[in-house]
Amino acid sequence: MALDKRFIGREYGPFVYTIGAEKLREFTLAIGGAVPGAGTPGEPLPHVSPLLHDAQAAKAGPYGDVIAFPSFAVVFAIRPFSAALSDPEMGIDIQRVVHGEQELEFLDVMRPGDVMTSTGRIADIYEKARMGFVVVTTESRNQHGKVVVTGTWTGVVRG
Amino acid sequence: MPRTFQTGDTFTHVRECDRYRPIYYAGASGDFNPIHIDPEAAKAVGLGGNILQGLCTLGWAVEAVGVFVGDPGRVRRVRVRFSKPVRPEDTITFQGKVTAIQDGRLTAEISATNQRGEDVLKGAVVEASLE
């Protein structure tokens, strides 16, 4: 898959996302092994921390409210990465893309109601073993302007 | 009683990718790429069947460390390379080892293997704050 290096440096965003309480719960429970049904995201397996889904326990805990599962951040922080991969000028068939590598840094916890603004840029494009690699770096700030999540996303375009 | 952590500590976390987990994770995360939810579409691009979103596997590695330190909000960093797809009906065993504790931060190396002993992650590292 021939990719054009001239797209290195292209920027995507800002994309704004408001964190909803039920969305947090859905994500926590999907990671946590729950089986959703109509009208319910299901019940967490015993290992799932109550800080992630039990409002009463979370209020008495260190954060004073339910917090997001850390990698919930991918729900919004992926947006600049997916925008890059689906950029018509890049000419990538999304079904040929697999996720190669991922790095995330969590600088603070996230709570329901937080408003996250994500931006990203194509940091690198290269070929290896006849496959194309697209590396996008992202930064997500909360409503107070604090950087809460940074990401480095590597997509692999299979030949 | 707060527990103490030491370099060399180990922990294990086992997760099953049940048949519809890629669909549940798609609903929760928004990643509806057909390769994750449609076995036929995934076969058509040479994957042999639908595969779990790598970011779900990453989530499980994060979860392993969150459980180990007793608070998911303490996880500060994760880095993984996805070396082999996880498929419906796979069972993934995460084995962690604390490689460093410095400045109130714990670093753990994580291996993630399927029921055939194949690594589905390479070079996985998760860091958590202890303060």
Side-chain angles (χ1 to χ4, degrees), chain A residues 95-108:
Chain A
Q95 293 198 40
R96 297 217 164 263
V97 178
V98 293
H99 207 143
E101 291 179 42
Q102 183 66 46
E103 181 165 358
L104 293 165
E105 189 164 21
F106 311 108
L107 300 160
D108 201 351

Side-chain angles (χ1 to χ4, degrees), chain A residues 23 27 30-36 47 49 51 63 67 69-70 74 94 99-106 158, chain B residues 13 15 21 24-25 27-28 33-35 45 55 58-60 63 67 71-73 75-82:
Chain A
K23 193 69 193 174
F27 189 89
I31 289 279
V35 175
H47 70 265
S49 170
L51 301 177
Y63 309 108
I67 56 167
F69 185 86
V74 303
I94 194 71
H99 207 143
E101 291 179 42
Q102 183 66 46
E103 181 165 358
L104 293 165
E105 189 164 21
F106 311 108
R158 299 156 59 242
Chain B
H13 190 60
R15 295 308 313 275
R21 191 57 44 188
Y24 302 150
Y25 185 81
N33 188 325
I35 65 172
V45 292
L55 288 173
L58 174 147
W60 288 343
E63 185 179 60
V67 169
D71 175 356
V75 175
R76 288 285 170 271
R77 200 169 81 88
V78 56
R79 188 184 74 215
V80 304
R81 185 151 56 86
F82 303 106

Side-chain angles (χ1 to χ4, degrees), chain A residues 138-158:
Chain A
T138 64
E139 187 179 88
S140 303
R141 293 175 184 266
N142 66 12
Q143 66 274 25
H144 309 296
K146 182 179 180 188
V147 178
V148 173
V149 183
T150 64
T152 303
W153 311 68
T154 304
V156 182
V157 188
R158 299 156 59 242

